[in-house]
């Protein structure tokens, strides 16, 4: 498996070492270092060196296939809600027919004559004709989904809308949902005798020659800050630890603290404190040293999206309790949760355990929405009462969800729930007025006070009112 290629199936490394990006499956933002004897999972990305992998599981036995089976089982167990209009019509229509026959019988029995009896019975049928009732749901749904599409929200079906009204808990995946899913340089600490530009320039030059995602994050930040980077000489990758080489005559080391320690270079007290602070906040600490002296510490992490904190606050105003659910380690998860304002965190959770967390919340009587983007989220999305997938995520997650957020912005989650609730409220309002017109006019028609022409006009007005009410959804923002 060459650098940049996906690993074809589950297996064991028999030759080489590399960093494997398994975020799609596990949610862990930092690539996992693997070497001979380590197991790797199919569909994960080889981000570093060349690997030779011996296949241990293929076909339906792979972890990816087992996750697909989880999704299928969850979708099969999810009963589709019956449409509200269908439930009303099932009762309303037989009652109207019975009432028309009763009206006909009543007027004939009272000797009013066949013409008067039929006029009253036909007026009952016309005034009760459920045109508006039939238009109530599809018109609101069409306008609501159209407006949603304009805002980057794709609603799969009408049953989704009823679910949003009852949601009280929203479970958020971390990597790619609350965060960007890309490693970025967050902090830079240097010794008193070194400036930040120099540390970035020398470290960035070395990291630029590596394919590792953490190295690329440092190189990208260095290029942005200092411009074109010098070309390193004698570049060497130290598997699982970092890189070393010569840049502009300096012997440079960049990598984990152990790389510098193994080289016999002590870490000054200030940099040690910076390193501990970075690790406490869930950042990956990268130490920079040259010419036998430690010069700086970088804090690299999967950056939180700019809109995530505001999105979480908005979800709370909608009456939802946010919960962070991730396969990443607890320190990283809690740091992200603090930054965006989430109190409850479930970390180091395997894909099948994500399903169990959702089921456990449902067993407590909660109605759960799940927001995710990875293959590891697909089963939980299908299990949740309402699944919302990031459009920037995997096809598996999108397929398993009820709503798709095209832009991949968490803030759109709140918009999606508000739009769904507004659309459902419009549908209910339409049904109420359609039903109300009919019920109010039925006694008049049955008593012979309403001729069929006026009944027809009233029925048409009812339909126009319903369509006009639905069109108000176009103003949703």
């Amino acid at each position: 498996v060459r650098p940049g290629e996906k690993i074809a199936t589950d297996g064991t490394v028999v030759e080489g070492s590399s960093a494997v990006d398994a975020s799609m499956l596990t949610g862990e933002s930092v690539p996992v270092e693997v070497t001979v004897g380590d197991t790797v999972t199919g569909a994960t990305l080889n981000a570093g060196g060349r690997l030779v992998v011996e296949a241990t599981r293929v076909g339906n036995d792979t972890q990816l296939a087992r996750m697909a089976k989880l999704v299928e089982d969850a979708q099969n167990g999810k009963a589709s809600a019956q449409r509200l209009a269908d439930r009303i019509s099932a009762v309303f229509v037989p009652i109207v027919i019975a009432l028309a026959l009763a009206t006909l019988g009543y007027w004939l029995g009272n000797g009013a004559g066949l013409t008067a009896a039929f006029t009253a019975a036909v007026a009952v049928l016309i005034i009760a004709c459920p045109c508006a009732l039939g238009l109530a749901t599809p018109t609101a749904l069409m306008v609501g989904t159209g407006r949603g599409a304009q805002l980057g929200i794709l609603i799969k079906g009408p049953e989704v809308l009823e679910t949003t009204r009852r949601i009280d808990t929203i479970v958020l995946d971390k990597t790619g949902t609350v965060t960007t899913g890309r490693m970025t340089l967050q902090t830079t600490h240097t010794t008193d005798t070194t400036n930040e530009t120099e540390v970035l320039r020398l470290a960035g030059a070395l990291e630029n020659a590596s394919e590792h995602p953490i190295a690329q994050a440092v190189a990208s930040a260095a290029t942005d800050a200092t411009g074109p980077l010098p070309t390193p000489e004698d570049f060497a990758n130290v598997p699982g630890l970092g890189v070393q080489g010569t840049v502009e005559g300096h012997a440079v080391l960049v990598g984990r603290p152990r790389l510098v320690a193994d080289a016999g270079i002590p870490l000054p007290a200030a940099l040690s404190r910076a390193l501990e602070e970075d690790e406490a906040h869930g950042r990956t600490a990268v130490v920079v040293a040259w010419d036998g002296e430690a010069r700086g510490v970088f804090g690299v992490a999967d950056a939180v999206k700019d809109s995530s904190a505001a999105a979480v606050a908005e979800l709370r105003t909608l009456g939802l309790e946010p919960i962070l659910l991730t396969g990443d380690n607890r320190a990283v998860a809690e740091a992200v949760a603090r930054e965006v304002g989430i109190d409850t965190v479930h970390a180091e959770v395997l894909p099948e355990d994500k399903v169990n967390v959702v089921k456990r919340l449902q067993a407590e009587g909660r109605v759960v929405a799940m927001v995710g983007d990875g293959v590891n989220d697909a089963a939980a999305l299908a299990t949740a009462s309402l699944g919302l997938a990031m459009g920037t995520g995997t096809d598996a997650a999108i397929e398993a969800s009820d709503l798709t957020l095209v832009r991949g912005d968490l803030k759109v989650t709140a918009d999606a729930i508000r739009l769904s609730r507004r659309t459902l409220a419009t549908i209910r309002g339409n049904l109420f007025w359609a039903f109300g017109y009919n019920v109010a006019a039925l006694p008049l028609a049955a008593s012979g006070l309403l001729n069929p022409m006026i009944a027809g006009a009233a029925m048409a007005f009812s339909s126009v009112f319903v369509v006009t009410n639905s069109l108000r959804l176009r103003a949703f923002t």
Side-chain angles (χ1 to χ4, degrees):
V1 183
R2 290 186 290 271
E5 290 184 340
K6 283 188 177 177
I7 296 167
T9 189
D10 296 4
T12 305
V13 178
V14 294
E15 185 184 318
S17 62
S18 181
V20 174
D21 181 358
S23 59
M24 180 187 75
L25 286 174
T26 65
E28 194 168 358
S29 53
V30 181
V32 181
E33 301 290 342
V34 296
T35 186
V36 175
D38 290 336
T39 58
V40 290
T41 308
T44 54
L45 187 70
N46 178 18
R50 175 180 173 275
L51 293 174
V52 177
V53 178
E54 180 185 356
T56 55
R57 288 199 294 261
V58 295
N60 292 333
D61 295 330
T62 63
Q63 186 174 337
L64 192 62
R66 292 204 304 272
M67 287 167 65
K69 182 72 170 62
L70 276 175
V71 175
E72 189 180 332
D73 292 345
Q75 286 178 325
N76 289 340
K78 203 172 185 182
S80 60
Q82 187 186 9
R83 295 183 186 182
L84 190 58
D86 293 344
R87 295 205 298 270
I88 293 174
S89 297
V91 178
F92 183 68
V93 172
I95 288 174
V96 167
I97 292 170
L99 187 60
L101 291 172
T103 302
L104 180 66
Y106 172 79
W107 286 106
L108 286 174
N110 278 287
L114 195 60
T115 303
F118 264 105
T119 299
V122 168
V124 167
L125 286 174
I126 291 173
I127 200 68
C129 182
C131 288
L133 206 60
L135 288 169
T137 299
T139 54
L141 192 64
M142 185 174 68
V143 178
T145 52
R147 181 61 185 144
Q150 290 174 338
L151 297 172
I153 303 160
L154 304 181
I155 302 171
K156 281 198 177 173
E159 63 276 3
V160 173
L161 302 175
E162 282 204 64
T163 310
T164 59
R165 180 176 56 88
R166 297 179 286 113
I167 294 296
D168 54 27
T169 304
I170 186 158
V171 177
L172 305 172
D173 168 54
K174 181 187 74 69
T175 309
T177 302
V178 176
T179 65
T180 60
R182 295 188 310 276
M183 302 300 285
T184 55
L185 181 62
Q186 304 271 298
T187 59
T188 303
H189 306 274
T190 64
T191 57
D192 294 336
T193 57
T194 316
N195 65 61
E196 189 174 311
T197 303
E198 190 178 12
V199 170
L200 278 169
R201 180 175 166 77
L202 295 183
L206 209 55
E207 295 282 54
N208 199 33
S210 171
E211 307 93 349
H212 198 289
I214 291 177
Q216 286 301 306
V218 173
S220 176
T223 303
D224 292 343
T226 67
L229 300 171
T231 303
E233 298 170 12
D234 303 325
F235 174 84
N237 183 45
V238 184
L241 292 178
V243 291
Q244 61 185 32
T246 304
V247 182
E248 295 181 340
H250 301 287
V252 184
L253 292 172
V254 185
R256 297 183 186 276
R258 191 179 136 199
L259 177 69
V260 176
D262 288 352
I265 300 172
L267 206 60
L271 292 184
S272 290
R273 285 194 299 273
L275 189 146
E276 288 169 7
E277 183 188 331
D278 278 334
E279 290 181 342
H281 284 85
R283 294 187 281 265
T284 300
V286 178
V287 181
V288 183
W290 66 79
D291 298 340
E293 188 180 335
R295 310 282 183 155
V297 171
F298 296 137
V300 179
D302 180 8
V304 172
K305 290 178 182 175
D306 295 338
S307 60
S308 290
V312 169
E314 197 169 342
L315 290 169
R316 285 189 188 279
T317 63
L318 291 171
L320 309 180
E321 182 194 345
I323 294 173
L324 191 67
L325 181 65
T326 179
D328 215 338
N329 72 68
R330 180 157 291 278
V332 173
E334 288 182 345
V336 170
R338 280 195 301 273
E339 190 171 339
V340 299
I342 296 176
D343 301 324
T344 310
V345 179
H346 296 275
E348 299 170 11
V349 181
L350 297 172
E352 52 269 28
D353 292 333
K354 286 192 173 187
V355 174
N356 295 333
V357 169
V358 171
K359 284 182 176 176
R360 194 161 65 244
L361 290 167
Q362 289 172 331
E364 292 171 6
R366 303 197 198 194
V367 183
V368 182
M370 168 80 192
V371 188
D373 74 318
V375 173
N376 60 323
D377 303 316
L381 286 166
T383 303
S385 307
L386 178 70
L388 299 98
M390 293 292 176
T392 50
T394 60
D395 290 346
I398 292 168
E399 186 63 33
S401 67
D402 303 304
L403 289 169
T404 302
L405 313 176
V406 176
R407 295 205 305 271
D409 184 351
L410 190 60
K411 211 162 186 297
V412 182
T413 304
D415 293 338
I417 291 171
R418 285 194 302 112
L419 176 61
S420 297
R421 288 180 176 179
R422 179 81 67 83
T423 305
L424 182 64
T426 302
I427 290 172
R428 288 178 178 277
N430 286 348
L431 291 172
F432 173 79
W433 286 110
F435 196 64
Y437 268 119
N438 294 338
V439 170
L442 273 174
L444 295 174
S447 61
L449 298 175
L450 209 62
N451 73 46
M453 283 196 299
I454 296 173
M459 183 197 70
F461 179 73
S462 173
S463 299
V464 170
F465 179 87
V466 162
V467 171
T468 306
N469 190 43
S470 295
L471 288 171
R472 290 193 307 122
L473 280 169
R474 291 169 65 183
F476 176 87
T477 54

